[in-house]
Structures are given as C-alpha cells and as structure tokens.
Amino acid sequence: MTQTEATTIFEEEILNGLKARNKFLSSKYFYDARGDELFQQIMKLDEYYLTRKEHEIFTTHKEAILQSIYDGETFRIIELGAGDGSKTKILLKHFLKQGIDFTYTPVDISGNVLEILETNLKAEMPDLKMESFQGDYFDALAQISTNPEKDVVFFLGSTIGNFTEEEAIGFMSKLRGFLKPSDMLFLGVDLKKDPSIILNAYNDHEGVTKEFNLNLLDRINDELEANFERDQFQHYPYYNPHTGECRSYLISKVEQEVVVAGEKIHFRAWEAIFMEISKKYDAVQLEELAEKSGFKPLNGFHDQESWFADILWEKEK
Ligand SMILES: C[S@@+](CC[C@H](N)C(=O)[O-])C[C@H]1O[C@@H](n2cnc3c(N)ncnc32)[C@H](O)[C@@H]1O
C-alpha cells in the first residue's frame, strides 16, 4: 500500500468513526511515532502488570516453550503486532543459544516501531535471521504465508484483547485460513482477576494512558488538518467484570464542533468517543474461543499468580 492510499484509508476510517451514532476511533491508529513512545512508557508502569507478567512467563518457561514448538525442523516465527519486541527477544535469544534454526518475521502497522525493533535486534543478535514486514496483519499474512516450513504465529501482549469476543472469533478464524496443518499459534492473553487491578492498568496515576489516548486526537490534528482541543476531552476507562471488557473512552466535556478534514463534527456535552477495548478471558472462554475459531489447545504457560497466560494452539484438522 502506498503512503497516499494509507492516508486516504486513515481519513475515511476516522471520519466514519466520528460520524457514527456512537462515535469511535480504531485503536490501531494509536501507534504513530509518539504513540509508540507512549506505549513503551505504559509497558514500564507499575500498574501495567501485563508486560511484567508476560516477561516472567518467557523468562521462566523459555525452554518448555521451545520444546512445545520445536520438532527438529527449521521453522519461522511470524509475530503479528510485534511492537518493540522487548519480551519476544527473551525467547529469540534462548532459541539462538540452543542452536535452533529459525527465521523471525515481525509484522507491525507502525514502520517506526519496526525500525526500532530491527535496529535493536540486529545489534543484540547479529546471527538472527529476520525479515520484517510493515502493514496490517492480514495484508502481511497474504504476502508472506506461502512458506514450506512450519510457521508459528506469535500474537502476544494481549493484543487479542483489542477485539470483542465476536471479533476475536472472526480474527482467529481468518488467521486459521492462512495456516498450514502443522502451523501453530502462540497467543498472549490477559486473564480475569481483581477488577480494580485491571482498571488501574488503564488508569495509571501518572496519566500516561490518558496521554496515549489523547495522542490520537493530536495525530488527527496533524494528519487531517483537524482542530481538536485536547483539554476539552476527558479520559474515562471502565471495566465490566461480567464481559471481561475494559473499554476506554474520550469524553467531550462541552458541546463543541471540531473540523476534521474539512468536515464539521458536532459533539454534545458528555458525548463519548469509544477508543479501545482490552478484553480479559478466563479458561472456559479461551477454550470456547479455540473451538469456535477452529483451533486445538496444545499447551499453556502462566505467571505465578495466573494473571496472564501464553497459550499454544494448533490448527484443528
Ligand atoms: C498492544 S501493542 C503490543 C506490542 C507487542 N506485541 C507487545 O506485546 O509488547 C500492539 C501492537 O500491534 C500493532 N498493531 C495494532 N494494530 C495493528 C494492525 N491492524 N496490523 C498490524 N499491527 C498492528 C501496534 O502498532 C502495536 O505495536
């Protein structure tokens, strides 16, 4: 996709969301250069336990993970939404140290974060075979999925949580369509726990998550000649322990009109823009997700408190 095509799609999707009856913006657009930087800050926050827990799982279980994936044949890891790869590199380093022959293919919509990832991994692991791909998950898979070797698709960091249950089933089923019978999926999922711990992860006291959300308004101002005033919006996350969904909103504090790409968008006082969903699962829901999207669970790894899980699935035959 050319830059002009990407800009047109960005404009269409942003306007579509802002003109909807219940306004929304897609969280995939959080990740411009500033958004990448803010997400890296979020991952270091005390309240954002997700990164710490997945880091613990990889550090503790790296050999068992390798044993579950590796059958003696060379394979390829495709990582969807790789980000800065700070946790994945624990596994990559371990696999290399054990003399395993594999290729690493990180995919991310953000060219900026991929460049950071490539630079770091090349410096830290000069022997790593790496072919990165910038773009949307399925555009990438469509272009790289013809590979005779086994593919293990990594989808970590609870990024699956950015979908509702129904969307996740649709996403996983579509992903399954790109896999060969021996291929595997390694999925990082956040689990249900004390609701206040979950809510705090999206409402940190330093306000970095708030900034991460407001940054999308700044991005729209810069790229679509818009005039959002960030002070006129309030960050509001809300966790529903029933559905396991933590939903973040930006709420217009006043009645106002904002111009975006030449179009006037009207906000009533206290009208919300839905920004992001971060869904939490329990064991039963995960089994259902696997079954409904055509996967068979093979193995699972947890942190000590069972707050987070990295699970390995194969394509149901
Ligand atoms: C929540 S972050 C997780 C990053 C990393 N996997 C981790 O665990 O730290 C989500 C990542 O997915 C990327 N992303 C979001 N939507 C995407 C899409 N539709 N296609 C490709 N990458 C996407 C973002 O740029 C970001 O780097």
Side-chain angles (χ1 to χ4, degrees):
M1 192 189 301
T2 63
Q3 190 52 44
T4 321
E5 283 165 343
T7 309
T8 311
I9 293 174
F10 178 64
E11 179 175 325
E12 273 172 18
E13 291 192 359
I14 295 296
L15 282 173
N16 184 32
L18 291 175
K19 290 198 271 184
R21 183 176 160 78
N22 290 324
K23 292 182 170 51
F24 67 92
L25 292 170
S26 168
S27 60
K28 74 178 172 198
Y29 291 127
F30 279 162
Y31 300 91
D32 64 350
R34 174 81 180 133
D36 291 335
E37 200 181 293
L38 287 163
F39 188 69
Q40 283 166 39
Q41 284 180 35
I42 288 174
M43 291 200 295
K44 294 188 186 123
L45 293 169
D46 270 357
E47 291 103 327
Y48 198 77
Y49 60 84
L50 292 84
T51 307
R52 238 179 11 258
K53 294 295 178 187
E54 199 166 43
H55 194 279
E56 178 192 324
I57 293 170
F58 292 173
T59 308
T60 313
H61 302 290
K62 51 186 184 285
E63 181 55 24
I65 293 170
L66 173 59
Q67 292 307 324
S68 304
I69 292 175
Y70 186 54
D71 58 7
E73 301 288 329
T74 167
F75 64 98
R76 176 174 67 167
I77 296 172
I78 300 174
E79 179 164 11
L80 300 179
D84 73 353
S86 54
K87 290 162 292 166
T88 312
K89 71 183 181 193
I90 299 169
L91 298 180
L92 301 179
K93 274 186 186 161
H94 181 70
F95 295 1
L96 282 183
K97 210 169 140 196
Q98 301 307 311
I100 310 296
D101 185 19
F102 70 98
T103 307
Y104 176 56
T105 299
V107 171
D108 207 289
I109 201 164
S110 162
N112 171 66
V113 86
L114 267 186
E115 251 182 71
I116 297 173
L117 173 75
E118 274 190 46
T119 310
N120 289 344
L121 293 191
K122 277 183 186 151
E124 288 184 45
M125 285 171 262
D127 295 335
L128 179 69
K129 287 193 266 177
M130 177 167 50
E131 289 163 27
S132 53
F133 194 99
Q134 195 224 324
D136 198 72
Y137 306 128
F138 291 114
D139 293 339
L141 284 168
Q143 295 194 42
I144 63 178
S145 66
T146 47
N147 173 37
E149 295 157 2
K150 171 160 118 176
D151 281 320
V152 183
V153 177
F154 280 24
F155 195 38
L156 307 177
S158 180
T159 307
I160 184 69
N162 294 148
F163 299 123
T164 62
E165 200 159 344
E166 211 178 305
E167 288 166 348
I169 295 168
F171 182 87
M172 288 299 170
S173 307
K174 192 166 173 189
L175 175 58
R176 185 183 180 278
F178 287 95
L179 303 184
K180 303 180 295 300
S182 57
D183 291 349
M184 291 175 170
L185 175 63
F186 191 48
L187 189 64
V189 268
D190 196 14
L191 302 177
K192 285 190 174 173
K193 59 185 72 60
D194 180 342
S196 57
I197 294 173
I198 292 173
L199 186 58
N200 287 344
Y202 301 91
N203 204 17
D204 64 280
H205 73 280
E206 287 174 49
V208 187
T209 318
K210 170 181 161 193
E211 189 59 31
F212 183 58
N213 279 264
L214 286 171
N215 178 60
L216 181 47
L217 301 189
D218 292 347
R219 178 176 181 184
I220 296 170
N221 282 350
D222 290 346
E223 296 184 26
L224 298 179
E225 291 180 28
N227 60 355
F228 277 107
E229 286 184 37
R230 48 161 49 222
D231 295 350
Q232 306 284 24
F233 290 87
Q234 176 182 317
H235 167 63
Y236 178 74
Y238 154 76
Y239 178 64
N240 178 339
H242 201 193
T243 60
E245 291 176 355
C246 190
R247 287 178 174 250
S248 302
Y249 300 88
L250 283 178
I251 301 192
S252 176
K253 294 193 264 187
V254 292
E255 178 168 13
Q256 57 178 316
E257 207 154 68
V258 178
V259 178
V260 179
E263 299 216 29
K264 286 182 185 160
I265 308 290
H266 182 261
F267 285 88
R268 299 187 302 279
W270 305 111
E271 189 175 352
I273 315 175
F274 167 48
M275 303 295 285
E276 186 177 42
I277 177 173
S278 308
K279 183 173 159 50
K280 317 301 165 188
Y281 285 87
D282 60 29
V284 173
Q285 289 172 311
L286 282 174
E287 268 175 38
E288 275 173 19
L289 178 60
E291 197 190 319
K292 288 185 181 161
S293 48
F295 284 94
K296 186 171 127 203
L298 288 179
N299 212 343
F301 306 90
H302 294 81
D303 60 288
Q304 272 208 331
E305 291 168 296
S306 281
W307 283 10
F308 200 92
D310 284 285
I311 51 184
L312 195 64
W313 289 352
E314 70 174 354
K315 187 171 166 168
E316 185 83 74
K317 280 150 198 133

